[in-house]
């Protein structure tokens, strides 16, 4: 999900004046931290030098953690970023949703071969969409062909431009509203014929979870994942527009450019993203979650195998499973995880196949920098 109260625009002149605040000094590693992170430090510095306001990264390896920050969390005050920052994780939410659905399958409450129509009668219809032909598996691995509501031109104008966002950032769109937008457009292809990433798939997946359990999907994530793993910085907020403390401000230019005004887009109604990207977390919590998931603590072996069964994606170097991405790095190492982008925030989290080496990183700006470079630095030492 890419789409946040302090909504003042910082002009290009102001941004230049504040440039001195965005210094690429990386916080000192805490006592007892692991060695061998020099390349990661350099990549974090490079992201700030490239224009990212601030970066926070946490690495979990075995039973130890290492963290670093660079740049600032607030362009007005110069307050630095914190390794404990809460931030919006956007599409990383999808891994949580897929995990709950696979837990329900393991419990016999549903099957990945069930159709969407069986659980949500009449919901996926119109302009060639047909829920009778789409299985729950096809929702989770994005082979459904269902149109992505984020690609609708009206939605983009309303929520993904500077003027539209500032007017509508506190809107509360029901899942039905998002699905209606998707159904007004034609599907990308017939179910199972190809892969196209669609946020609509996970709005539907969240609704299936609610139908199967009788509870809000966020309550199920809390009960099944957040509470057992003690993820104290992780939540599925309903209509809370602010971030928990500590947190940094989030900035957007509403364009992939380093020029033009910079907008503070920290506050927004997260319910707009629903199951496709509603959650808030921290780097430490994300590394704990993915380590537990790939380490077999959340799913039986059969369901974890299904989650890691991948299809070709839109990237040459990665394949998509069930809410989980298999990424091949330049040095040949495979890592599993997910990225997430929302206005003002870019995040990425990956872990090795056994869950023993994990990294989570967040940028509080959405127009520059490379989270891929930070991951490459940590796992390939370059």
């Amino acid at each position: 999900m890419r789409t946040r109260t302090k909504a003042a625009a910082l002009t290009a002149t102001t941004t230049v004046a504040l440039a001195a605040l965005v210094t690429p000094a990386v916080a000192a590693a805490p006592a007892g931290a692991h060695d061998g992170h020099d390349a990661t430090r350099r990549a974090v510095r490079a992201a700030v030098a490239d224009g990212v306001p601030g970066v926070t990264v946490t690495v979990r390896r075995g039973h130890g953690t290492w963290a670093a920050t660079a740049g600032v969390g607030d362009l007005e005050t110069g307050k630095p970023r914190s390794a404990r920052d809460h931030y919006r994780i956007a599409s990383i939410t999808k891994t949580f949703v897929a995990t709950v659905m696979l837990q329900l399958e393991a419990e016999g409450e549903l099957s990945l071969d069930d159709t969407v129509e069986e659980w949500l009668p009449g919901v996926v219809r119109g302009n060639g969409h047909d829920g009778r032909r789409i299985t729950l598996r096809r929702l989770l691995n994005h082979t459904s062909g269902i149109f992505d509501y984020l690609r609708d031109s009206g939605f983009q104008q309303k929520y993904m431009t500077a003027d539209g966002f500032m007017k509508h950032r506190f809107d509360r769109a029901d899942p039905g509203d998002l699905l209606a937008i998707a159904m007004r457009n034609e599907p990308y292809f017939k179910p199972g014929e190809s892969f196209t990433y669609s946020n609509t798939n996970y709005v539907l997946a969240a609704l299936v979870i609610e139908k199967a359990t009788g509870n809000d999907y966020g309550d199920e994530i809390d009960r099944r994942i957040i509470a057992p793993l003690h993820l104290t910085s992780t939540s599925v907020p309903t209509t809370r527009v602010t971030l928990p403390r500590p947190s940094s401000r989030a900035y957007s230019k509403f364009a992939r450019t380093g020029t033009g005004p910079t907008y503070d887009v920290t506050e927004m109604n997260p319910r707009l993203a629903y199951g496709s990207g509603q959650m808030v977390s921290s780097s430490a919590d994300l590394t704990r979650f993915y380590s537990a998931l790939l380490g077999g603590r959340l799913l039986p072996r059969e369901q974890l195998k299904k989650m890691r069964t991948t299809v070709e994606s839109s990237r040459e170097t990665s394949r998509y499973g069930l809410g989980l991405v298999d990424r091949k790095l330049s040095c040949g190492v495979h890592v599993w995880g997910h990225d997430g982008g929302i206005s003002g925030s870019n995040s990425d989290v990956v872990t090795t196949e056994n869950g023993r080496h994990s990294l989570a990183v967040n940028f509080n700006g959405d127009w520059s920098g490379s989270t891929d470079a930070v991951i490459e630095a940590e796992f390939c030492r370059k």
Side-chain angles (χ1 to χ4, degrees), residues 17 20 35 37 49 89 93 132-133 157 162 276 316 318 323 349 367:
D35 295 327
H37 300 288
I89 65 173
T93 299
R132 295 170 298 183
R133 302 182 57 202
Q157 182 66 32
S276 71
E316 283 187 14
S318 66
V349 56
W367 62 89

Side-chain angles (χ1 to χ4, degrees), residues 2 13 57 80 83 95 175 237 267 269 308 360:
R2 292 191 176 274
T13 301
V57 60
T95 309
E267 284 78 26
N269 189 335
R308 293 176 52 204

Side-chain angles (χ1 to χ4, degrees), residues 25-27 40-41 43-45 47-48 52-59 66-73 80-89 92 246-249 281-287 345-349 359-365 370-371 374-375:
V26 177
T40 309
R41 289 189 183 92
V44 167
R45 290 190 184 102
V48 174
V52 177
V55 181
T56 183
V57 60
T58 296
V59 174
W66 171 89
T69 62
V72 298
R81 292 220 61 179
S82 167
R84 298 175 56 242
D85 272 352
H86 296 77
Y87 50 83
R88 304 189 192 282
I89 65 173
I92 295 171
S247 61
S248 293
R249 309 304 296 176
S281 190
S282 69
S283 293
D285 272 12
L286 289 176
T287 58
S345 180
N346 277 330
S347 308
D348 218 329
V349 56
L359 174 148
V361 59
N362 171 259
F363 296 169
N364 65 335
S370 170
T371 58
V374 177
I375 292 168

Side-chain angles (χ1 to χ4, degrees), residues 8 18 55 87 142 149 171 225 243 306 348 382:
L18 293 170
V55 181
Y87 50 83
H142 296 293
Y149 69 88
D171 287 1
I225 301 173
L243 289 170
K306 290 180 180 181
D348 218 329
K382 61 179 181 181

Side-chain angles (χ1 to χ4, degrees), residues 16-156:
V16 171
L18 293 170
L21 297 176
V22 192
T23 56
V26 177
H34 289 285
D35 295 327
H37 300 288
D38 289 347
T40 309
R41 289 189 183 92
R42 289 194 296 271
V44 167
R45 290 190 184 102
V48 174
D50 192 44
V52 177
V55 181
T56 183
V57 60
T58 296
V59 174
R60 177 181 296 270
R61 196 164 191 174
H63 297 292
T65 61
W66 171 89
T69 62
V72 298
D74 190 318
L75 286 173
E76 288 191 343
T77 67
K79 178 183 177 182
R81 292 220 61 179
S82 167
R84 298 175 56 242
D85 272 352
H86 296 77
Y87 50 83
R88 304 189 192 282
I89 65 173
S91 284
I92 295 171
T93 299
K94 292 178 173 68
T95 309
F96 288 83
V97 170
T99 300
V100 171
M101 187 171 281
L102 285 161
Q103 288 177 341
L104 291 171
E105 186 194 49
E107 295 162 11
E109 297 297 326
L110 54 77
S111 167
L112 295 184
D113 295 321
D114 292 345
T115 65
V116 174
E117 181 72 14
E118 290 176 63
W119 286 99
L120 306 171
V123 171
V124 180
R125 293 290 177 86
N127 289 315
H129 291 99
D130 187 349
R132 295 170 298 183
R133 302 182 57 202
I134 299 170
T135 63
L136 302 186
R137 180 181 284 102
R138 297 203 188 287
L139 294 181
L140 298 185
N141 66 11
H142 296 293
T143 60
S144 70
I146 295 174
F147 184 83
D148 184 356
Y149 69 88
L150 278 184
R151 297 192 187 185
D152 179 81
S153 59
F155 184 94
Q156 292 181 346

